[in-house]
Amino acid sequence: MIRKRYICTLGEPQNYRVNRILDALTLIAYLILQLLSIPEEWGHTLLDKFRYLQSCMCQKISYVHWFEEMMFC
């Protein structure tokens, strides 16, 4: 049996909107990482901060809980 692949194509205006949203989300994530302070043993680069956040999120599944803990340190 041959399976058909269906590719969802978006029109140009929709692709443009999606790209704008992705750009905004990337900028927000970058700014959050810039403002975040982490323990020195984790490092100081943006990638180190991102890994630290991943570690915290794995320990605490709820985004609300880990975000409150990060903001009120």
Side-chain angles (χ1 to χ4, degrees):
M1 179 176 186
I2 299 173
R3 288 194 274 177
K4 293 182 180 179
R5 287 188 169 186
Y6 295 97
I7 300 172
C8 180
T9 58
L10 300 173
E12 285 301 317
Q14 291 172 338
N15 277 338
Y16 178 74
R17 282 186 221 130
V18 169
N19 286 338
R20 295 279 304 222
I21 291 170
L22 290 175
D23 289 344
L25 290 174
T26 302
L27 179 61
I28 291 168
Y30 174 76
L31 292 174
I32 289 172
L33 288 176
Q34 286 290 330
L35 294 173
L36 187 68
S37 60
I38 62 172
E40 284 189 24
E41 60 265 10
W42 281 88
H44 62 278
T45 65
L46 291 178
L47 184 57
D48 295 331
K49 291 179 180 183
F50 184 71
R51 289 179 181 153
Y52 179 75
L53 284 177
Q54 282 183 318
S55 172
C56 290
M57 286 189 295
C58 288
Q59 291 173 359
K60 297 186 178 192
I61 301 300
S62 171
Y63 286 101
V64 174
H65 290 104
W66 71 260
F67 189 75
E68 284 178 356
E69 192 171 295
M70 290 293 125
M71 296 306 290
F72 297 117
C73 285

